[in-house]
């Protein structure tokens, strides 16, 4: 998926013609198995596709946005790191990466960044607080595209946490060539034995070797590209509206 708003494919001859970029978007995902049918970099790919589409729609409203190369490095659970080629990135490493990106953008007169997060295991709040204390003129916001619109009414499955119906449908919508639905497993998940953790009275990381049989949590076999398209049509207006506001206004 090539877009003129994707810095991976952008050329200096085109970039220099733009008088000012109001902000940048940084897709951030992970590298981990996604059931049997989705790519390892699904979280980055979906975040990237959402960012491209949102940037294009924002451009039609007069906002110049550049989408930076996606970061495929995220935080993992125990039981995942033992799986082949699943990459765990520490919080300190993510802070260092984000800090270097912010410093680069500041040198160029760009002082607004939207992290388009595609991985629920990533938590940037502490890093953003640290960076903005040291870079008070820089503003960072996070968008978890999958948390904006509730899946009810768009998808059939109630349990859909990782590589299930929602994520598979969105991948079929944006990257159908990368999905092999014939390989999809059942995505059966196992809850904690302590009910308070299931009810979020307390939190603990899931041991992925015990929580799932095929690295997925959520039944993916009802996924369709049409469902993904319908869902993203509901999600996208809120993201585009935010980008337009964020690029033209201060937080306070």
């Amino acid at each position: 998926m090539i877009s003129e708003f994707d810095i991976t494919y952008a050329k200096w001859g085109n970039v220099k013609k733009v008088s000012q970029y109001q902000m940048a978007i940084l897709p951030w995902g992970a590298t981990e198995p996604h059931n049997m049918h989705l790519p390892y970099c699904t979280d980055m790919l979906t975040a990237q596709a959402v960012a491209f589409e949102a940037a294009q729609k924002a451009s039609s409203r007069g906002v110049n946005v550049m989408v930076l190369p996606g970061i495929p490095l995220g935080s993992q659970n125990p039981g995942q790191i033992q799986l082949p080629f699943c990459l765990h990135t520490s919080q300190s490493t993510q802070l260092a990466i984000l800090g270097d990106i912010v410093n680069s953008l500041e040198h160029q007169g760009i002082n607004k960044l939207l992290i388009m997060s595609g991985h629920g295991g990533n938590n940037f709040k502490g890093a953003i607080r640290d960076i903005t204390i040291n870079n008070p003129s820089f503003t960072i916001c996070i968008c978890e595209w999958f948390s904006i619109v509730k899946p009810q009414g768009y998808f059939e499955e109630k349990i859909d946490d990782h590589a299930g119906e929602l994520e598979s449908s969105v991948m079929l919508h944006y990257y159908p060539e990368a999905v092999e639905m014939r390989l999809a497993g059942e995505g059966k998940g196992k809850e904690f034995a302590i009910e308070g953790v299931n009810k979020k009275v307390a939190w603990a990381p899931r041991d992925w070797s015990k929580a799932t049989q095929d690295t997925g949590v959520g039944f993916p076999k009802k996924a369709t590209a049409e469902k993904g398209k319908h869902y993203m049509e509901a999600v996208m207006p809120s993201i585009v509206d935010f980008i337009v506001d964020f690029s033209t206004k201060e937080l306070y």
Side-chain angles (χ1 to χ4, degrees), residues 13 28 34 37 48 52 63 80 87-88 101 103 126 182 206:
W28 202 311
H34 273 71
H37 63 296
Q48 194 167 260
F52 290 160
V63 174
Q80 284 180 301
L87 304 180
H88 171 71
I101 291 171
N103 288 334
R182 63 183 178 81
R206 288 177 289 185

Side-chain angles (χ1 to χ4, degrees), residues 8 13 18 22 32-33 62-63 70 91 95 132 136 141 155 164-165 177 186 215 219 233:
T8 302
V18 177
Q22 285 94 344
E32 59 180 3
V63 174
Q91 294 289 298
L95 172 61
T132 52
C141 289
F155 304 100
E165 185 184 2
E177 72 284 354
E186 298 291 320
T215 77
F219 187 66
E233 285 174 344

Side-chain angles (χ1 to χ4, degrees), residues 21-24 102 105-113 138:
Y21 284 93
Q22 285 94 344
M23 58 175 287
V102 166
L105 294 174
E106 269 202 315
H107 280 294
Q108 300 149 24
I110 299 169
N111 63 359
K112 292 183 179 180
L113 177 68
F138 203 98

Side-chain angles (χ1 to χ4, degrees), residues 23-194:
M23 58 175 287
I25 304 177
L26 177 62
W28 202 311
T31 300
E32 59 180 3
H34 273 71
N35 198 307
M36 313 290 282
H37 63 296
L38 294 180
Y40 267 62
C41 277
T42 288
D43 291 344
M44 188 202 72
L45 290 172
T46 51
Q48 194 167 260
V50 171
F52 290 160
E53 184 176 351
Q56 188 169 24
K57 286 180 164 58
S59 176
S60 68
R61 294 170 60 177
V63 174
N64 292 321
V65 180
M66 183 58 77
V67 180
L68 300 175
I71 307 294
L73 301 171
S75 298
Q76 306 295 348
N77 285 316
Q80 284 180 301
I81 192 63
Q82 289 81 6
L83 299 173
F85 308 112
C86 182
L87 304 180
H88 171 71
T89 312
S90 68
Q91 294 289 298
S92 59
T93 299
Q94 293 185 49
L95 172 61
I97 292 170
L98 183 57
D100 285 347
I101 291 171
V102 166
N103 288 334
S104 297
L105 294 174
E106 269 202 315
H107 280 294
Q108 300 149 24
I110 299 169
N111 63 359
K112 292 183 179 180
L113 177 68
L114 175 63
I115 299 174
M116 185 64 66
S117 179
H119 180 59
N122 287 341
N123 186 337
F124 297 102
K125 291 181 180 179
I128 290 173
R129 288 188 178 103
D130 287 346
I131 289 171
T132 52
I133 284 174
N134 294 322
N135 305 73
S137 63
F138 203 98
T139 306
I140 310 173
C141 289
I142 315 166
C143 173
E144 289 187 334
W145 65 266
F146 50 86
S147 299
I148 296 171
V149 174
K150 293 183 178 180
Q152 289 79 10
Y154 297 93
F155 304 100
E156 300 174 50
E157 294 298 310
K158 292 182 180 179
I159 299 175
D160 193 355
D161 185 47
H162 180 70
E165 185 184 2
L166 187 159
E167 202 166 19
S168 299
S169 294
V170 172
M171 279 295 291
L172 283 168
H173 168 51
Y174 284 123
Y175 301 97
E177 72 284 354
V179 182
E180 295 187 71
M181 288 302 300
R182 63 183 178 81
L183 300 178
E186 298 291 320
K188 291 182 179 179
K190 185 177 181 180
E191 292 190 326
F192 290 98
I194 299 174

